[in-house]
Amino acid sequence: MLGKDETNIRLAIRGVDVPLMNALRRIALAEVPSMAIDEVVMIENSSIVQDEIVSHRLGLTPLKTDLDSYNLPEECECKSEFGCSLCRVTLTMDAEANEGTRTVYSGELVSENPSIIPVSDKVPIIKLAKGQKLKLEAYARLGKGKNHAKWQPVAVCAYKYFPKIEVPTEKCEECAKCVDICPKKVYAMKENKVEVRDLLACNLCMDCVEACPQKPPAIKVEWEKDAFIMNIESTGVLPPERIIQEATKTLDKQLKEFQEQIKVEAK
Ligand SMILES: [Zn+2]
């Protein structure tokens, strides 16, 4: 692990290849479930915004997700279209503008489960003019990013090759052109020598190699064939480390299912 905070995680992964990294990336985007509002029952909407637009905005509001307490609706034992307490969370909103125009924020959604609430209570949902009302009941369910982007738990999920940089002191003439041109500020001058300050920031753009006046260039930028830096930024619905854990679990499950299918076919 190279770094982590509440929504971001940066990992160095070694001994893997591009297809595996890409499988993990795609699973994190499309297969790891998260909670989102899926159905809205409008009780009163006297604003100028249509019910559909309000519902769409509510659907796109990221909700904190509890993967251990809830089932995907299609896997739930209730087998009911409406859902049960294990596959559905009810949120309500009852907003009114009493004293002039005001904005209604996601924080006004009241959840039946205090752990399934909007990630941020500052998402603007609608603007109400004096006397207008918005009253509704919303149902949140677990879902997958492949069905709708609102269920995608990650904002960023990307990987790059692990960089390898060499600055041979005997060839370099310390012109510092590479230090100035690097957009990622990978290099620094230290005691009149070019030094790699932040190797992991390198995105292999090769500007430094092209800027080097020496022929052939003194700087050598390469990448490791089987090592990657992966960056995952969660939308806040799940901790980023949980997303990558779920992605590896899902990949494992999919491979086992594939193996079973091969066995069935071979019989
Ligand atoms: Zn259920």
Side-chain angles (χ1 to χ4, degrees):
M1 191 162 70
L2 302 170
K4 181 185 126 57
D5 62 25
E6 224 170 282
T7 52
N8 261 287
I9 193 166
R10 210 160 173 229
L11 301 162
I13 304 177
R14 290 181 187 278
V16 291
D17 54 9
V18 173
L20 179 68
M21 288 304 293
N22 203 34
L24 284 176
R25 183 186 72 85
R26 295 186 63 135
I27 290 174
L29 282 163
E31 301 274 352
V32 174
S34 73
M35 211 69 155
I37 289 174
D38 192 31
E39 220 180 314
V40 175
V41 176
M42 212 51 91
I43 298 162
E44 190 178 347
N45 176 13
S46 53
S47 76
I48 57 158
V49 182
Q50 294 96 324
D51 295 356
E52 290 87 343
I53 308 282
V54 178
S55 311
H56 183 245
R57 294 194 62 81
L58 289 169
L60 291 174
T61 307
L63 299 180
K64 284 185 186 157
T65 298
D66 179 358
L67 282 182
D68 305 313
S69 315
Y70 289 94
N71 298 325
L72 278 163
E74 59 268 30
E75 287 169 12
C76 189
E77 280 172 12
C78 69
K79 301 270 174 244
S80 129
E81 203 187 311
F82 190 63
C84 67
S85 60
L86 288 176
C87 61
R88 185 203 65 218
V89 180
T90 307
L91 297 103
T92 52
M93 184 179 260
D94 189 359
E96 197 179 347
N98 294 320
E99 297 146 21
T101 309
R102 75 170 182 107
T103 307
V104 179
Y105 293 94
S106 52
E108 288 182 51
L109 278 167
V110 181
S111 172
E112 62 173 353
N113 178 347
S115 59
I116 310 290
I117 50 166
V119 170
S120 161
D121 52 13
K122 296 271 180 326
V123 182
I125 305 292
I126 195 172
K127 235 176 179 174
L128 295 178
K130 193 176 177 184
Q132 292 180 343
K133 264 187 181 175
L134 179 68
K135 193 173 178 186
L136 56 88
E137 211 171 281
Y139 305 109
R141 296 185 175 95
L142 283 179
K144 292 178 178 178
K146 66 178 176 185
N147 294 322
H148 194 295
K150 67 183 174 185
W151 282 305
Q152 198 175 290
V154 288
V156 174
C157 185
Y159 60 88
K160 64 177 183 184
Y161 278 113
F162 205 99
K164 214 159 91 181
I165 304 177
E166 268 176 60
V167 191
T169 34
E170 64 276 14
K171 270 173 91 184
C172 176
E173 283 176 351
E174 288 92 38
C175 66
K177 285 205 170 111
C178 52
V179 180
D180 297 332
I181 203 159
C182 179
K184 294 285 183 181
K185 307 261 175 290
V186 170
Y187 306 98
M189 286 303 276
K190 200 179 170 191
E191 289 158 11
N192 278 327
K193 281 202 165 66
V194 176
E195 197 190 57
V196 179
R197 184 185 64 92
D198 187 1
L199 175 67
L200 300 180
C202 177
N203 62 357
L204 307 170
C205 71
M206 300 291 164
D207 276 0
C208 53
V209 176
E210 278 163 32
C212 187
Q214 305 243 37
K215 300 269 179 272
I219 285 187
K220 217 165 125 194
V221 177
E222 288 177 316
W223 53 89
E224 293 180 36
K225 300 281 173 291
D226 63 345
F228 299 86
I229 298 172
M230 192 177 212
N231 193 20
I232 298 172
E233 185 189 326
S234 160
T235 54
V237 295
L238 286 167
E241 64 273 23
R242 181 72 195 261
I243 295 172
I244 191 78
Q245 281 165 5
E246 289 297 321
T248 51
K249 254 198 261 175
T250 309
L251 180 63
D252 193 46
K253 203 174 127 202
Q254 285 179 345
L255 289 173
K256 281 193 180 121
E257 277 169 17
F258 183 50
Q259 214 176 10
E260 284 301 311
Q261 277 172 4
I262 293 172
K263 272 189 212 157
V264 174
E265 289 289 318
K267 266 181 196 168

